Amino acid sequence: MGVKLALCLIPYKHVLFRPLGIFKLGGMDDAGYALSVFQNHRRHSGVSLLGAALLEIGPGDSAATGLIAWAAGAKKTVLLDQGGHAVRDMAFYKRLARELAGSGFTRAERLLACRSFEELLQATGTTYLTGGIASLRSLESGSLDFSFSQDVLEHIHLNEIGSFLRELCRAHKRGSFTSHRIDLQDHLGEGLNSLRFGPRVWESALFKRAGFYTNRLRAGQVVEMFQSAGFRVVSAEEEKWDDLPINPEKMHQSFQSMPRENLLVRRLYLLGQKD
C-alpha cells in the first residue's frame, strides 16, 4: 500500500507502469476478455442491441466495446472514463475485428480498412468521453437503451456516486436496463483490509488518488443507491465468502456494527431498470 501511495504521485503513471501491470485498468486490452465481458452483460440483461444506443462506464485500457457493440448491431456507443487511457494501437483493434468476424460477427470485417483510432471510432459510431461525471452530464436525457460496467462503480468516490447514478438514470430511456458487476473486496489483497481505516483517512485526497481506492459501499447500500437514483433493481446476485476475511475487531468502528451477512458479500451482480 505504501508503494502504491508513492507511485500515485508520479505523472503519467498509467503509461509508465502499464507494461508491469501496475495501475493497469482492467483487462479490456485483451480481445477475448473484452468480448466475454460484453456478452456476459448482454446475457445478464437479455436486451437486443439492434439499433441501440449503449454506454460502457469505465472502458479502461481499450475502446473494444465500441467495436463489439457495432458488430452486434448497435447504432451508437458511448465510452465513459475518467481519462484517456485506451490503447490506440490499431494492431489490437484489427485483431479484435478478426476475432469478431470469426465468431460470426461478419460485419466486423469492414473495420479492417480503418487506418487510425479516430477513424475506427467514427466507423463504429463510438464516442469516447474522458471527463467522468461531467461527461455523463453532457448526455441527452432519455438517450440510452443499455449501460454496463465491469468492476468500476466501486472506484467512484463516495461523495460522487449518488450524483453519478442519478445522472445515469436521467440519461436512460424508460424501460431500459443497466447491468453491473461490482467488486466489493478491497484492492489490496482481495479481502476487507480497507475497512481497517476510518473515513477521514480513507477519503483523503491522497488515498483517493491511489490505485487501491474503493468507496467501500456494501451490497445493501449499493442496492439502496440505485433505487434512490430512480432504478428498479431487477436482480442483485451476491457472491459471498464462507467466512469474513478479517477479524471484525480489526475493522474501524464505523463498520463493526454492520450486519455480518452484508460484510460477507464479496461481489455483486446488479441489474436495474428505469421504469
Side-chain angles (χ1 to χ4, degrees):
M1 189 176 86
V3 171
K4 279 202 169 184
L5 283 171
L7 291 177
C8 78
L9 301 175
I10 299 174
Y12 308 110
K13 57 183 176 293
H14 294 292
V15 176
L16 291 171
F17 297 110
R18 179 182 285 168
L20 301 177
I22 305 172
F23 296 110
K24 182 172 167 55
L25 302 173
M28 296 300 276
D29 56 349
D30 179 289
Y33 176 77
L35 180 57
S36 70
V37 167
F38 181 85
Q39 295 286 51
N40 286 340
H41 284 284
R42 187 181 182 186
R43 283 192 292 267
H44 187 215
S45 61
V47 299
S48 170
L49 296 180
L50 191 61
L54 65 93
L55 166 71
E56 181 187 11
I57 302 165
D61 289 325
S62 86
T65 293
L67 280 72
I68 299 169
W70 180 83
K75 181 180 180 181
K76 177 183 178 181
T77 299
V78 177
L79 305 177
L80 178 71
D81 217 326
Q82 191 63 49
H85 308 299
V87 62
R88 263 71 172 171
D89 182 9
M90 287 302 296
F92 164 75
Y93 295 109
K94 290 190 177 185
R95 185 169 65 251
L96 174 58
R98 291 189 188 96
E99 289 191 23
L100 288 170
S103 300
F105 298 96
T106 55
R107 189 184 189 195
E109 291 179 353
R110 303 182 208 171
L111 302 177
L112 295 174
C114 293
R115 293 166 294 180
S116 68
F117 181 72
E118 290 70 26
E119 185 179 347
L120 186 71
L121 294 182
Q122 185 174 6
T124 56
T126 301
T127 303
Y128 186 33
L129 302 177
T130 59
I133 190 170
S135 291
L136 181 58
R137 291 191 181 105
S138 72
L139 298 185
E140 182 181 351
S141 296
S143 61
L144 296 177
D145 295 293
F146 180 58
S147 68
F148 76 93
S149 71
Q150 181 85 356
D151 299 340
V152 171
L153 294 188
E154 67 269 17
H155 294 290
I156 298 176
H157 295 165
L158 184 62
N159 64 335
E160 295 179 343
I161 189 166
S163 298
F164 187 93
L165 292 178
R166 287 191 293 273
E167 286 297 323
L168 179 63
C169 189
R170 176 195 60 78
H172 265 265
K173 295 178 181 177
R174 291 194 178 278
S176 61
F177 289 91
T178 186
S179 174
H180 306 274
R181 190 178 89 162
I182 306 165
D183 190 353
L184 304 177
Q185 305 168 112
D186 66 47
H187 286 43
L188 297 164
E190 297 186 333
L192 288 175
N193 290 298
S194 60
L195 304 192
R196 295 171 181 265
F197 298 87
R200 192 170 186 179
V201 173
W202 193 259
E203 295 298 323
S204 66
L206 179 59
F207 272 51
K208 282 182 175 181
R209 291 175 60 188
F212 54 76
Y213 175 86
T214 64
N215 52 45
R216 304 191 295 177
L217 290 169
R218 311 321 302 163
Q221 295 171 312
V222 173
V223 169
E224 288 178 3
M225 294 195 83
F226 267 87
Q227 293 171 333
S228 296
F231 289 107
R232 177 173 63 88
V233 175
V234 178
S235 64
E237 301 171 19
E238 298 176 345
E239 181 182 320
K240 295 184 176 183
W241 284 290
D242 293 329
D243 198 6
L244 283 180
I246 187 174
N247 183 337
E249 295 180 0
K250 301 290 186 180
M251 297 189 301
H252 187 265
Q253 60 185 11
S254 57
F255 293 99
Q256 289 181 3
S257 61
M258 281 192 170
R260 177 183 173 85
E261 284 303 305
N262 215 353
L263 291 169
L264 282 171
V265 183
R266 63 189 301 179
R267 193 169 283 121
L268 180 67
Y269 302 83
L270 187 146
L271 180 65
Q273 184 178 29
K274 182 177 178 179
D275 291 328

